[in-house]
Amino acid sequence: MATQAQVKAFIAQIGPIIQQYAKSMHFKTCSAIIAQACCESAYGTSSLGYKYHNYFGMKCGGSWKGASVNMTTKEEYTPGTLTTIKDNFRAYGSIEEGVAGYFAFTNCSRYANLKDAKDYKEFAQLVKADGWATSSTYTNTLIKIVEQNGLQVWDNFDGSSAPAPQPAPQVATPVYKVGKLYTIQVELNVRTGAGTNYPLKGYNGLTTDGKKHDKNKNGALDKGTVVTCQQLKTVGSAVWMKCPSGWICAF
């Protein structure tokens, strides 16, 4: 759970970026979009957020050709009942790329009505009706986040009343050591090199032992797999670890 300091820092960091894109694309409101980022990424502290800069929970779909990560999530297909699934989510290289990805994702006929939303309440209702999330409380959650954090100030597109940008919320980086064994906490894609610019490996690209820990045969090592750290590299804010099957994002 994000601390109050992390909440404030995340909003102050991502707010100006969202506001800038919303203004350039002629949205009438952006506070509910900031609330979406807060909700979907747990104020920037979720691994999908701080590792992969996907702050809106955007899945790959059939048309996505960029980097991705396979992760576990919960969907509320039936009101009141959560179903755990695994899916592929879009991955980005920076917070600005993640925000730009959101506006590219919503720049289609399905979400065209969002530009016409007059305020955050209408936006929250429309984005839920458009099918953004399965949560039965999604609209109320976004409205609550806006009102609790005073996000309405960001709807002033001249920026005069918006807080000054702040550093990103700090998440302690684990200290890894070459030669040590580590247990994977979520299913992780394996790449040919350190960074999302390198191609993903398929099932046949894994070692014999690695294949034993890829039940889906999708080239991703399963949660709970124990790997040996052979090499470490820092790429941007991410720490990449080389294990026998290839490179994985450790943080």
Side-chain angles (χ1 to χ4, degrees):
M1 184 175 180
T3 65
Q4 192 58 37
Q6 288 174 320
V7 168
K8 290 182 178 180
F10 178 70
I11 291 171
Q13 185 194 29
I14 203 168
I17 304 172
I18 291 176
Q19 186 187 62
Q20 177 185 3
Y21 274 90
K23 181 179 180 180
S24 68
M25 297 187 71
H26 308 293
F27 280 72
K28 295 180 174 66
T29 178
C30 69
S31 54
I33 302 175
I34 300 173
Q36 277 190 280
C38 295
C39 172
E40 300 281 1
S41 74
Y43 296 92
T45 64
S46 72
S47 57
L48 186 61
Y50 72 79
K51 281 187 181 181
Y52 302 103
H53 302 290
N54 183 341
Y55 302 98
F56 300 91
M58 294 177 293
K59 296 173 182 174
C60 290
S63 62
W64 178 248
K65 305 300 181 184
S68 65
V69 58
N70 187 272
M71 301 190 80
T72 299
T73 188
K74 294 183 184 295
E75 300 289 354
E76 189 181 351
Y77 301 121
T78 302
T81 301
L82 295 179
T83 301
T84 301
I85 65 167
K86 285 187 176 181
D87 212 330
N88 294 319
F89 291 84
R90 301 183 180 201
Y92 299 94
S94 68
I95 186 170
E96 182 156 359
E97 286 183 20
V99 172
Y102 171 87
F103 284 95
F105 188 90
T106 56
N107 191 29
C108 62
S109 58
R110 177 178 179 178
Y111 297 109
N113 57 359
L114 298 180
K115 290 185 178 181
D116 297 323
K118 298 183 293 296
D119 56 34
Y120 65 93
K121 291 182 179 180
E122 184 178 1
F123 188 102
Q125 292 167 351
L126 290 174
V127 77
K128 166 58 180 172
D130 291 343
W132 186 274
T134 58
S135 170
S136 59
T137 61
Y138 196 67
T139 294
N140 289 337
T141 297
L142 297 185
I143 292 173
K144 184 177 180 179
I145 290 173
V146 170
E147 294 177 348
Q148 284 185 336
N149 295 284
L151 300 183
Q152 301 95 320
V153 298
W154 295 99
D155 290 330
N156 176 13
F157 284 114
D158 65 15
S160 60
S161 59
Q166 298 294 321
Q170 296 300 307
V171 180
T173 304
V175 177
Y176 298 105
K177 293 184 179 180
V178 173
K180 297 288 187 179
L181 298 177
Y182 296 96
T183 302
I184 293 176
Q185 301 301 309
V186 296
E187 185 178 59
L188 288 177
N189 289 328
V190 181
R191 295 184 179 273
T192 60
T196 56
N197 291 330
Y198 286 90
L200 292 169
K201 283 194 172 186
Y203 175 77
N204 291 328
L206 304 180
T207 63
T208 300
D209 185 66
K211 291 177 180 178
K212 296 177 183 177
H213 299 281
D214 182 10
K215 294 179 181 178
N216 297 330
K217 295 186 177 181
N218 60 355
L221 296 176
D222 299 327
K223 176 182 177 181
T225 302
V226 178
V227 298
T228 302
C229 176
Q230 297 178 324
Q231 191 177 342
L232 292 165
K233 283 188 178 181
T234 300
V235 181
S237 61
V239 178
W240 289 81
M241 178 187 298
K242 185 179 182 183
C243 64
S245 283
W247 288 87
I248 57 176
C249 187
F251 183 84

